[in-house]
Every structure is written in structure tokens, then in C-alpha cells.
Amino acid sequence: MTNQDKNATGSGVTEVEIRHAIDPLAASAMGTDELRANFLMPDLFQPGKVSQVYTHYDRMIVGGAVPVLQPLSLEPIKQTGTKNFLDRRELIVINIGGAGSVEVDGEAFATNSRDMVYIGMGTASVSFASEDATTPAKFYLLSAPAHASHPAKLIRIGDAKRVDLGSQQTSNERSIFQFIHPEGAKTCQLVVGMTQLAPGSVWNTMPCHIHDRRMEAYLYFDLAENARVFHLMGEPDETRHIVMKNEEAVVSPCWSIHSGTGTSSYAFIWAMAGDNVDYTDVDPVPLETLR
């Protein structure tokens, strides 16, 4: 069982893949290839292209844009049914590559690695550019439907709300950087942040949780070429795993845990969309109930 379809815009620089929603019973019967085909997003960062995955989990779009010699525009896609991409949506752009800029209706925001730009509903024009084609910017894109317009804003990694969690003893010492939170930049439903694991720590989001009111997407990065993350998913009593490499993303339904362990330390960007923007609105899963 696979729920994918690919199409491209007229310009040929934007590619869109569709992921339909999967229920927990169907997921529990999937083998490795089916799990990867339905939940893994492996090819988001292609030079000279804007790659998008349109999911039917809260209608979130997950994508990547890698401008090299020329800027790339955020083009309208048929899945949104609007003249411009952001007529009824909001967007968060996070740079995980070299220095670059995001232009929003003529206003340019210069970004270094791990800086984020929030772009509100109603924006007509968005484009992405790299400062140096030999070390291009890699823009990670996250978009969800919006009901109000909020102003564009640059949030540098140093300005994010930092929360330190875990310990060396449990191999999960990590720093969480909340780009979007109730006390900071306003969004309609996107909640986004980044987690950096300390050297020697490999576990993320453990003990784990679910949140029935929101879906989530993870992007793993800062992994060596020969390193891997074993991403855990599924219902707490029916877990599965997906082996992931550097700069791959995975979608997590609201019924699924989302956790993982790596062969080395790494970073990941987490993004949620759904009924609220309360970061702590989760349902913890006791370790003894995991299977």
C-alpha cells in the first residue's frame, strides 16, 4: 500500500508529492518498504529545485528549496487551489545550509544556518537565494492552512527560546530551541523548533508521547554520511521504526509516537500543526507501556 502521487509545475523547478493519511491499523500491517513510502520524505533538498510533500495530515506541506545560481520562487500549486501559494496559508522557512536570503513581497531577510523566517497568510511573493553557489543555502519549508495574517519575521537561532533537557546518564542530553511559542512570534497553527543533542547523547523525545490534537514532522540533519537515526513511530503498543540518513524528514500522524536514537549525535527540526499552539499539550507514554 502506497499513497503517493507526483506532479510538477509548469516551470519544472517545483515538484510536489502527495501523501494521503494512514490509519493506525493499516500502518501496523506495513512492511519496511510500505512504511518508508508512506511516511519518509527523503529527497527534499535537490539543487535548483523546490521540492514539496503535500500531506493530508492537517494539510501540512513539508518541503525544501536549494537555490544555486539563480533564485527560486515559491510557485502556486494546484493542491492549495489558490492564485498564490500563501493566499490561505502560512509558511516557516529554516535555513540549514550556507548563507542565503528569503525575499518576502520585496523585503529581503538574510539568513545564516539555523535561522528562521516566518511568512504570514496573504503574502504574494516569496523567493529564495544563496549567497554563494558553492555552499548553497538549504531552506526547509513548512506550511499549514491559516485563518489570519501575521507579519513576516526573522528569528535567529540566538533569539529562540532555549530549554535544556535530559542527561548524559540517560543518553538524551539536549537543547530545545523554540522558534515559535505563545510568548514569541504569532502564528495561526504552526509550532516549530529545533533540538540539538549533546555529544555522546543519541536519544530524542524519550520518554515519548503522542498528541491527538496535532500532527508532527521531523527533519534530521547534521548527521555524518555513514551515520543513521532509527526513528520510532506507531501506536505505543504497536511500534515500528524507519532508518533515516542525513537531511531526511518523516511525517508523524497524531496517533503515533515520534522518537528516535542515532548512531551519533545529531540535530532535528520538529514542526506541528493542528488544533492549538501549546508546546506542552502532549499525552506522555510511560516506558513500561511501549511494545
Side-chain angles (χ1 to χ4, degrees):
M1 177 190 297
T2 57
N3 282 308
Q4 302 183 50
D5 186 25
K6 289 187 176 181
N7 55 76
T9 62
S11 69
V13 301
T14 300
E15 297 179 348
V16 184
E17 186 175 317
I18 312 299
R19 298 291 177 88
H20 293 283
I22 302 296
D23 67 90
L25 182 62
S28 69
M30 289 181 176
T32 298
D33 289 344
E34 287 177 305
L35 287 171
R36 295 176 71 85
N38 284 283
F39 299 101
L40 183 67
M41 297 174 280
D43 300 312
L44 296 179
F45 301 99
Q46 302 182 53
K49 289 188 177 294
V50 178
S51 304
Q52 299 178 29
V53 177
Y54 182 97
T55 82
H56 286 267
Y57 301 100
D58 289 295
R59 305 285 174 170
M60 182 185 275
I61 295 174
V62 180
V66 186
V68 185
L69 297 176
Q70 301 293 332
L72 294 173
S73 296
L74 184 66
E75 301 176 320
I77 59 175
K78 70 175 185 179
Q79 287 74 23
T80 66
T82 55
K83 178 181 177 182
N84 300 305
F85 187 95
L86 293 175
D87 283 349
R88 295 174 59 86
R89 287 184 158 267
E90 59 185 356
L91 173 70
I92 285 175
V93 180
I94 305 170
N95 187 1
I96 64 167
S101 62
V102 181
E103 187 171 294
V104 181
D105 281 348
E107 181 180 4
F109 296 90
T111 64
N112 294 313
S113 182
R114 305 184 184 216
D115 291 341
M116 187 210 84
V117 179
Y118 172 79
I119 306 170
M121 183 185 75
T123 301
S125 173
V126 179
S127 63
F128 314 100
S130 292
E131 188 174 295
D132 184 350
T134 61
T135 55
K138 294 180 180 180
F139 294 107
Y140 182 45
L141 314 179
L142 298 154
S143 177
H147 58 269
S149 180
H150 298 295
K153 184 174 183 178
L154 170 66
I155 303 174
R156 300 199 181 278
I157 183 64
D159 298 325
K161 180 180 178 181
R162 177 171 174 167
V163 180
D164 294 321
L165 295 174
S167 68
Q168 284 188 329
Q169 288 75 17
T170 50
S171 301
N172 67 348
E173 184 180 5
R174 62 199 189 274
S175 296
I176 297 174
F177 298 87
Q178 298 178 17
F179 288 111
I180 300 296
H181 52 88
E183 298 81 31
K186 301 298 182 184
T187 68
C188 291
Q189 62 167 316
L190 282 173
V191 180
V192 178
M194 187 195 77
T195 299
Q196 176 68 61
L197 275 76
S201 286
V202 293
W203 276 104
N204 75 73
T205 323
M206 182 60 68
C208 60
H209 58 256
I210 59 173
H211 30 68
D212 191 52
R213 292 158 291 280
R214 294 175 295 187
M215 60 79 67
E216 191 157 0
Y218 272 21
L219 170 73
Y220 290 102
F221 69 109
D222 271 5
L223 274 166
E225 184 177 351
N226 62 350
R228 294 293 184 271
V229 168
F230 289 72
H231 179 81
L232 303 181
M233 61 162 293
E235 293 184 288
D237 62 351
E238 193 70 49
T239 59
R240 298 290 185 270
H241 74 268
I242 298 176
V243 181
M244 299 177 62
K245 61 184 180 180
N246 189 44
E247 296 181 358
E248 290 188 330
V250 63
V251 63
S252 178
C254 62
W255 49 262
S256 175
I257 66 169
H258 33 278
S259 181
T261 185
T263 58
S264 67
S265 60
Y266 52 90
F268 67 98
I269 294 169
W270 43 268
M272 296 178 281
D275 271 340
N276 63 49
V277 293
D278 182 0
Y279 172 77
T280 61
D281 179 18
V282 301
D283 300 312
V285 176
L287 280 171
E288 59 268 22
T289 66
L290 286 176
R291 296 181 59 189

